[in-house]
Amino acid sequence: MNRPNASSKKILVIGINFSPELTGIGKYTGDMVEWFVDNNYECTVVTSFPYYPFWKVQSPYINRFYKREVLKDGKLTVYRCPLYIPEKPGGLKRLIHEATFFVSAFFMIISLLFKPKNDYIFCIAPPFHLGFLGLFYRFFKRGEIIYHIQDLQIEAARDLNMLKSKMAFKILFAMEKFIMQKVDFVSSISKGMLKKISCKINREISFFPNWVDTDTCYPLSNCAELKLKWNFDVNDKVVLYSGSIGEKQGIEAILDVAEKLKSVKFIKFVICGTGPHKDKLIQRAKLQQLDNVSFFPLQERHLFNSFLNMADVHLVLQKKSAADLVMPSKLTTILAVGGLALVTAEQGTTLYEVIKDNNMGVVAPPEDIDHLKEAILNCCTSDSTEIKMNARNYAENHLNISKVIRRMMSNMQKTVYPEPKGIKYLRLDRDAD
């Protein structure tokens, strides 16, 4: 692929999640498309109505029929396709959810065959089978497909016991391999994921990490005073989890630790976000009478930077079974605001190594309540100035959105991005959040 001339290039993006979703893949796909448009690409997006992480369509959208939006002075056209959205997503319901989007998006792709061709086709996985839509479009219109893997969806479903049929997994892996063999480029976001993908298929995998806008997410100097805005005392130590509340995070551990630290009155726990397990956590906190735990909704964009700066400790939790299958996207913003990240990760994983090697956070073993409790106590009583400075510097140098996307577009020919000696890069994903 030659270096693109942005003024003449058109991009088609196919993905189930997109703006205005505030977390996860939708946020990153939206950021990417906005950057393309601002840099003189013309973009067409085939997506769904915004539903994540609430698992219901967000106002003012209505999930009844197709909707076309023309934005950014005509440089961006968004086609929203109807789909089934389960209130309580499980294994089978998720399959139906993704299948209905695939079908409705397929008809939209057919309609795009009668419009001017796109030079690049970005297929965002999951759902992994959206790659078939890209292949279908390319068959008629040509163009180059970038199959970008945000989550290793099939492995996550297997390791988290979301599906149990061995035959089903055999078929799913075969379909995924076929897609990866036929597309022009395969990319992903973490060292661990790149290794796992390389074991599936004998081809080079591009490194395309998630990013953060370091101009809108940045450290503030009045962090203690910000606590008053959210009804905390200036002397409280706020331990924050912000993101999707789902199966991969193991957020139940927060309540376990909160119960053990009831007597430490200055430590307050905040769980911010939404997801299929939030109601259960709220009920459990009430039963346990955890007065040191507060639940907040997702914060609006204009409040998000100050909200993150308000926290003293940022929890980035994962289960053992999700190690190197997903990378928590929330970590990018934590690093950008110079926050103190307390990450649960096993030794040997990408997340563990990059945090340790760059001294930009604290790492505790996953699913170990006692270690997590001690780590929180230590974070709340120790000086973390150096760690916070390292976090901000790392975000500015390696996670800035313009640097990441420019490098990806200009170096597409190379497919694998070499790392300068002595530096380990952080490749991040959604929380998937």
Side-chain angles (χ1 to χ4, degrees):
M1 183 186 296
N2 296 323
R3 191 167 189 163
N5 176 4
S7 63
S8 63
K9 293 297 180 180
K10 298 180 186 295
I11 295 176
L12 170 63
V13 177
I14 306 171
I16 196 170
N17 299 106
F18 186 63
S19 297
E21 293 178 353
L22 296 174
T23 64
I25 294 175
K27 174 187 179 299
Y28 286 108
T29 304
D31 288 347
M32 179 181 72
V33 169
E34 185 171 349
W35 187 93
F36 281 140
V37 171
D38 290 343
N39 285 270
N40 299 316
Y41 290 84
E42 292 184 31
C43 289
T44 300
V45 180
V46 176
T47 188
S48 68
F49 293 91
Y51 68 90
Y52 185 85
F54 304 94
W55 289 94
K56 61 181 179 180
V57 172
Q58 296 303 290
S59 178
Y61 292 95
I62 300 174
N63 183 29
R64 291 181 180 174
F65 200 66
Y66 294 90
K67 180 178 176 62
R68 177 174 176 260
E69 299 172 288
V70 180
L71 309 167
K72 299 283 187 177
D73 296 324
K75 293 182 180 179
L76 170 60
T77 303
V78 181
Y79 295 98
R80 297 195 182 272
C81 306
L83 76 169
Y84 162 70
I85 303 173
E87 291 184 7
K88 297 181 179 180
L92 179 60
K93 289 182 178 180
R94 280 179 184 263
L95 287 177
I96 299 172
H97 159 73
E98 293 174 355
T100 57
F101 175 72
F102 182 90
V103 172
S104 64
F106 174 71
F107 288 109
M108 182 53 62
I109 294 296
I110 290 177
S111 73
L112 294 180
L113 299 181
F114 301 95
K115 297 182 181 295
K117 65 163 287 190
N118 289 277
D119 301 283
Y120 304 114
I121 306 144
F122 280 79
C123 299
I124 313 297
F128 81 92
H129 47 64
L130 296 187
F132 288 117
L133 297 180
L135 293 171
F136 177 79
Y137 180 88
R138 188 186 64 180
F139 179 81
F140 292 98
K141 303 289 285 186
R142 298 187 180 180
E144 294 181 289
I145 301 175
I146 299 92
Y147 184 66
H148 182 53
I149 302 172
Q150 284 274 8
D151 279 1
L152 288 170
Q153 180 187 22
I154 305 174
E155 285 89 341
R158 180 194 62 198
D159 296 343
L160 294 170
N161 293 315
M162 297 175 71
L163 286 175
K164 301 184 184 298
S165 170
K166 291 183 179 180
M167 180 56 68
F169 281 115
K170 185 176 181 180
I171 294 171
L172 293 174
F173 280 121
M175 293 167 62
E176 181 190 46
K177 185 174 182 180
F178 177 84
I179 292 170
M180 291 193 292
Q181 287 174 330
K182 297 299 182 181
V183 298
D184 298 282
F185 297 92
V186 178
S187 63
S188 193
I189 56 176
S190 81
K191 181 178 179 181
M193 290 171 68
L194 293 176
K195 287 181 179 179
K196 290 179 182 293
I197 296 167
S198 296
C199 292
K200 298 181 180 187
I201 187 167
N202 184 25
R203 68 174 298 172
E204 293 183 322
I205 314 299
S206 301
F207 161 44
F208 185 18
N210 284 336
W211 50 77
V212 65
D213 186 341
T214 53
D215 293 328
T216 58
C217 295
Y218 53 89
L220 297 174
S221 58
N222 60 332
C223 297
E225 289 77 8
L226 287 172
K227 294 174 184 176
L228 297 173
K229 185 175 182 179
W230 279 276
N231 298 317
F232 294 104
D233 188 83
V234 292
N235 295 316
D236 285 339
K237 294 294 183 179
V238 177
V239 180
L240 171 66
Y241 173 88
S242 178
S244 177
I245 303 174
E247 295 180 58
K248 291 176 289 190
Q249 290 78 25
I251 304 171
E252 299 86 357
I254 299 175
L255 303 188
D256 294 331
V257 173
E259 187 167 35
K260 289 177 177 288
L261 292 176
K262 270 185 175 182
S263 60
V264 186
K265 299 299 183 181
F266 64 88
I267 297 181
K268 308 295 184 181
F269 293 86
V270 174
I271 298 175
C272 172
T274 188
H277 298 289
K278 184 174 182 178
D279 289 342
K280 293 181 181 178
L281 291 178
I282 293 174
Q283 291 302 317
R284 182 181 158 188
K286 288 180 179 178
L287 289 173
Q288 294 178 239
Q289 298 181 332
L290 298 177
D291 297 331
N292 55 347
V293 179
S294 301
F295 290 87
F296 283 69
L298 283 175
Q299 301 297 300
E300 297 294 331
R301 286 183 183 270
H302 70 282
L303 295 173
F304 196 54
N305 188 62
S306 59
F307 183 71
L308 290 181
N309 273 274
M310 177 266 297
D312 298 279
V313 182
H314 299 262
L315 297 179
V316 182
L317 305 180
Q318 289 192 117
K319 290 184 177 180
K320 291 180 181 178
S321 55
D324 270 357
L325 294 179
V326 297
M327 297 291 287
S329 60
K330 65 176 69 66
L331 189 52
T332 58
T333 49
I334 294 171
L335 297 175
V337 301
L340 175 58
L342 173 50
V343 180
T344 59
E346 290 192 281
Q347 190 170 354
T349 61
T350 305
L351 192 55
Y352 179 96
E353 291 177 357
V354 76
I355 293 291
K356 284 289 190 180
D357 291 351
N358 293 279
N359 189 29
M360 58 184 186
V362 176
V363 185
E367 301 181 43
D368 189 325
I369 302 303
D370 290 331
H371 275 91
L372 183 59
K373 183 196 77 171
E374 292 303 319
I376 289 173
L377 272 173
N378 187 55
C379 288
C380 290
T381 55
S382 302
D383 182 11
S384 56
T385 303
E386 182 180 355
I387 292 176
K388 292 179 178 180
M389 290 178 60
N390 291 341
R392 175 63 185 181
N393 290 336
Y394 188 94
E396 289 181 316
N397 293 329
H398 303 306
L399 301 178
N400 177 273
I401 183 171
S402 291
K403 292 180 180 179
V404 170
I405 299 182
R406 285 186 189 279
R407 185 177 65 196
M408 186 276 296
M409 294 302 290
S410 64
N411 292 306
M412 194 75 77
Q413 275 184 315
K414 299 178 181 179
T415 66
V416 175
Y417 297 95
E419 296 180 354
K421 292 182 180 179
I423 297 178
K424 290 195 176 183
Y425 285 97
L426 181 59
R427 291 88 165 183
L428 299 151
D429 149 53
R430 84 166 175 177
D431 301 3
D433 243 81

